[in-house]
Amino acid sequence: MEELSAASIGLRRTRQRAAILDTLSGCRDLVSVGELHELLESAGTSVGLTTVYRALRELERAGRVDVIRDEVGKRFYRRRPAAGHCHYLVCRSCGFSRTVNADVVEHWAARLADESGFAEVAHTVELVGICPNCQRQVTGTTV
């Protein structure tokens, strides 16, 4: 993945924002604001929870993080690859996530925009299920 820096997306560089970007870049899975805040604190970075929320909102607006919501609306973040946003399949039991090929969704959204005359069409697709590991734990069998 390309380097993620505040300056590269037009944001003022601060010590806290740099730490948030570095920590988020090191996360391989989706993380909540609270989890990201705990990771920062455990690494010795004193940063307020409000600052983490604000930085993630800015990164989302800049298109540098993907955001998904669970069934109750809690938001989870993951660094967006340079190639564009991703769609994720998320385990509703343990939170494990994996990216999925959703080209059909992207083509559909682009076609809908063309046909309707709308500009700047955005979409949200959230896919949830039960991962193979959680299925094994429930059934005691292999999947």
Side-chain angles (χ1 to χ4, degrees):
M1 286 187 182
E2 70 184 57
E3 181 181 343
L4 183 61
S5 69
S8 72
I9 56 175
L11 300 175
R12 190 171 57 88
R13 181 172 176 81
T14 64
R15 178 188 60 79
Q16 294 96 337
R17 190 174 287 133
I20 290 166
L21 290 169
D22 288 345
T23 303
L24 188 59
S25 293
C27 294
R28 294 183 52 155
D29 211 352
L30 294 159
V31 293
S32 69
V33 173
E35 291 167 335
L36 183 57
H37 184 254
E38 287 177 21
L39 288 169
L40 289 158
E41 292 287 323
S42 68
T45 303
S46 179
V47 60
L49 190 57
T50 302
T51 301
V52 177
Y53 273 105
R54 187 179 316 114
L56 288 171
R57 274 195 315 273
E58 292 167 347
L59 291 167
E60 180 183 1
R61 278 195 299 267
R64 301 311 293 239
V65 296
D66 285 321
V67 182
I68 66 152
R69 290 174 186 83
D70 66 9
E71 289 89 4
V72 296
K74 186 174 180 181
R75 297 166 64 95
F76 294 87
Y77 299 84
R78 182 185 243 174
R79 181 179 166 193
R80 180 178 289 180
H85 78 260
C86 293
H87 295 282
Y88 301 93
L89 182 56
V90 181
C91 179
R92 74 173 62 93
S93 181
C94 71
F96 170 76
S97 66
R98 59 172 288 195
T99 58
V100 295
N101 181 334
D103 288 343
V104 67
V105 173
E106 302 304 324
H107 295 301
W108 171 76
R111 190 180 77 240
L112 184 60
D114 288 343
E115 291 172 358
S116 68
F118 276 65
E120 300 181 32
V121 172
H123 63 273
T124 302
V125 176
E126 296 173 5
L127 304 166
V128 296
I130 304 295
C131 73
N133 188 48
C134 289
Q135 290 177 54
R136 280 190 293 275
Q137 289 177 6
V138 170
T139 64
T141 61
T142 59
V143 176

